[in-house]
């Protein structure tokens, strides 16, 4: 699956959001301090030189690592190379929601599913909610995230006002846009856990309405779709429909839909895409729809966009029999990981005498004025469909050093690639694209002994 994030320029705001510190309830604060102290002790106790990774129940990465070697019938370690799993489960909860300040303090391992469940009762949500339930807040900030509010609200890290980070050298530092650790604050996005781990994050929230009113607009050419995205970026609406949310689905060069959503206090009807109906198929018509805000946020998760197809879950009979609680992206991802570990699909393909298959799962960011050219290139050279389109722009003009969104075939079109899936850069190309000098300075300052993997080693070499 390829996601094309269409960059529409900067929003022109003055800089990163600032807010008064959110005070934790005393009991919560004490519990959190205890958890921080315990994690520091665990980190300090790890064998010198041993590679370190967070022990996580789920993952949304598609940089699959080779299985670790077996020892007496059991795996020697959770990851190849014997990396040690650092238990950060104590940081998987929402610490506090402050409705008056429209802010929350959240553990870095907290999933967006849990975060949304904590904020919606207050009529609030994070400014950007990535599309899959088990993406964690810390993961979205250090690894980048995107969704249909990104054209007006940027990326998840842009609504973070403070971070508490366990650095590679074992310190726990408080990083904000100003102050001693401002460079780490700005360099943390796109560092993928190679500088440290976010233990808590203070984030902005926004008011929501109970429902989202959707309109699906059809376009017969990529050029027309890109012109409409540019219009929404400039005007905040399309054909009179307010664009609180906007994304798109390209089934082909002559069948592209932009879905524009507006908050609504009422809903003449409410659709449900958690059951037998499938969301991505609905964008072809009817042209108008209503969802609860919660169902809208997770509209893609039930079918993992459209990737539930290989499991047969979109067949009406199988869908009825497949338990509703297992129609989730993390379940499908676990099935893919199991298949990768045991080579089941590869063996079946070989037995049928077919050549090996390659999974194409990528996120790329393309300037809006080059978006049509990219879609035409992709259709001609790769030919997979659908393609998800998600317009975005940064909230501020202040740079994020490790992920500059400047105004592949992607590089030839002035684009960037997200690093959550497989990458094939040479070291020279990689550091030219992702600001090698800035990363080297941060690595030297916060992980001088290299306890954590390097960014190139982790994202390209798969270590």
């Amino acid at each position: 699956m390829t996601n094309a994030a269409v960059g529409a320029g900067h929003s022109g705001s003055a800089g990163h959001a600032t807010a008064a510190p959110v005070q934790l309830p005393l009991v919560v604060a004490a519990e959190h301090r205890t958890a921080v102290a315990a994690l520091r002790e665990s980190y300090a106790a790890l064998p010198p030189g041993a590679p370190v990774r967070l022990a996580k129940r789920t993952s949304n990465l598609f940089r699959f690592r080779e299985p670790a070697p077996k020892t007496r019938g059991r795996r020697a370690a959770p990851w190849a190379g014997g990396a040690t799993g650092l238990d950060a489960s104590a940081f998987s909860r929402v610490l506090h929601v402050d409705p008056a300040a429209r802010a929350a303090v959240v553990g870095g391992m907290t999933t967006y599913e849990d975060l949304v469940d904590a904020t919606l009762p207050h009529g609030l949500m994070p400014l950007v909610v990535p599309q899959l339930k088990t993406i964690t807040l810390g993961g979205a900030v250090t690894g980048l995230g995107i969704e249909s509010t990104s054209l007006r609200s940027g990326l998840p890290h842009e609504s973070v006002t403070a971070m508490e980070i366990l650095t590679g050298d074992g310190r726990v530092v408080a990083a904000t846009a100003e102050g001693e650790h401002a460079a780490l604050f700005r360099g943390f996005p796109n560092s993928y856990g190679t500088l440290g781990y976010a233990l808590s994050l203070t984030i902005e929230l926004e008011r929501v309405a109970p429902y989202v009113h959707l309109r699906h607009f059809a376009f017969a050419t990529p050029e027309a779709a890109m012109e409409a995205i540019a219009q929404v970026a400039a005007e905040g609406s399309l054909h009179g429909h307010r664009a609180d949310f906007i994304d798109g689905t390209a089934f082909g060069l002559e069948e592209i839909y932009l879905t524009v959503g507006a908050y609504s206090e009422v809903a003449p009807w409410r659709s449900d895409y958690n059951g037998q109906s499938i969301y991505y198929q609905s964008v072809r018509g009817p042209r108008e729809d209503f969802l609860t805000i919660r169902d809208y946020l997770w509209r893609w998760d039930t079918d993992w966009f459209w990737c539930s197809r290989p499991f047969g879950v979109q067949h009406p009979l199988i869908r009825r029999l497949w338990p509703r609680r297992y129609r989730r992206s993390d379940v499908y991802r676990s099935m893919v990981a199991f298949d990768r570990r045991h080579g089941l699909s590869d063996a079946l393909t070989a037995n049928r005498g077919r050549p090996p298959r390659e999974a194409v799962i990528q996120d790329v960011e393309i300037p809006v004025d080059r978006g049509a050219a990219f879609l035409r290139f992709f259709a001609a050279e790769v030919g997979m469909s659908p393609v998800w389109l998600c317009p975005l722009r940064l909230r501020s003009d202040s740079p994020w050093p490790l992920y500059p969104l400047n105004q592949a075939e992607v590089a030839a079109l002035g684009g960037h690639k997200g690093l959550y899936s497989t990458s094939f850069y040479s070291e020279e190309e990689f550091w030219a694209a992702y600001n090698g000098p800035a990363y080297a300075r941060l690595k030297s300052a916060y992980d001088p002994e290299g306890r954590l993997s390097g960014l190139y080693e982790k994202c390209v070499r798969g270590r």
Side-chain angles (χ1 to χ4, degrees), residues 35 140 179 255 310 415:
E255 187 186 9

Side-chain angles (χ1 to χ4, degrees), residues 89-358:
S89 58
F91 304 94
S92 59
R93 64 173 180 149
V94 177
L95 297 169
H96 185 56
V97 177
D98 186 335
R102 279 190 284 179
V105 183
V106 186
M109 294 288 289
T110 306
T111 67
Y112 273 93
E113 182 176 25
D114 290 341
L115 176 53
V116 165
D117 283 347
T119 61
L120 284 185
H122 299 283
L124 300 166
M125 77 172 198
L127 273 61
V128 181
V129 178
Q131 58 277 7
L132 304 180
K133 292 178 177 178
T134 55
I135 293 175
T136 62
L137 177 59
V141 169
T142 193
L144 302 185
I146 189 173
E147 240 294 341
S148 58
T149 57
S150 287
L151 189 57
R152 63 180 176 86
S153 296
L155 301 177
H157 62 269
E158 295 192 274
S159 55
V160 175
T161 59
M163 287 186 282
E164 182 184 30
I165 300 171
L166 171 66
T167 61
D169 58 11
R171 289 177 289 163
V172 173
V173 303
T176 60
E178 299 177 356
E180 180 183 359
H181 302 290
L184 178 61
F185 180 87
R186 302 208 71 84
F188 197 72
N190 211 46
S191 65
Y192 280 89
T194 65
L195 299 175
Y197 302 117
L199 306 185
S200 69
L201 305 96
T202 304
I203 62 169
E204 299 174 86
L205 304 173
E206 73 175 28
R207 295 284 179 199
V208 302
Y211 308 105
V212 179
H213 177 195
L214 303 179
R215 290 186 65 188
H216 308 299
F217 297 95
F219 299 89
T221 67
E223 289 77 11
M226 295 302 146
E227 289 175 7
I229 290 172
Q231 177 187 334
V232 174
E235 301 176 5
S237 64
L238 185 61
H239 298 310
H241 192 72
R242 190 178 69 252
D244 294 319
F245 308 88
I246 177 173
D247 65 351
T249 310
F251 293 94
L253 295 179
E254 298 178 353
E255 187 186 9
I256 301 171
Y257 300 90
L258 293 182
T259 297
V260 180
Y263 283 126
S264 178
E265 295 294 333
V266 298
W269 70 88
R270 288 177 286 174
S271 296
D272 177 6
Y273 298 105
N274 299 297
Q276 296 304 301
S277 299
I278 298 170
Y279 176 74
Y280 82 91
Q281 295 176 356
S282 76
V283 305
R284 288 172 148 160
R287 297 288 185 251
E288 194 170 16
D289 208 350
F290 289 86
L291 291 171
T292 67
I293 178 62
R294 191 180 194 280
D295 283 350
Y296 175 80
L297 293 177
W298 305 130
R299 67 202 183 283
W300 293 118
D301 188 82
T302 300
D303 285 287
W304 205 13
F305 288 87
W306 31 81
C307 294
S308 64
R309 288 181 299 189
F311 308 108
V313 183
Q314 295 183 23
H315 187 283
L317 177 60
I318 296 176
R319 196 173 187 85
R320 283 194 294 271
L321 296 176
W322 194 292
R324 184 179 178 121
R325 66 183 180 277
Y326 294 140
R327 290 186 217 133
R328 293 172 53 100
S329 61
D330 55 331
V331 172
Y332 307 137
R333 201 272 182 192
S334 296
M335 295 172 70
V336 171
F338 181 86
D339 177 69
R340 290 291 297 266
R341 284 197 302 271
H342 299 283
L344 302 180
S345 294
D346 291 344
L348 182 61
T349 298
N351 288 338
R352 291 175 175 174
R354 297 177 180 174
R357 300 179 66 186
E358 179 183 7

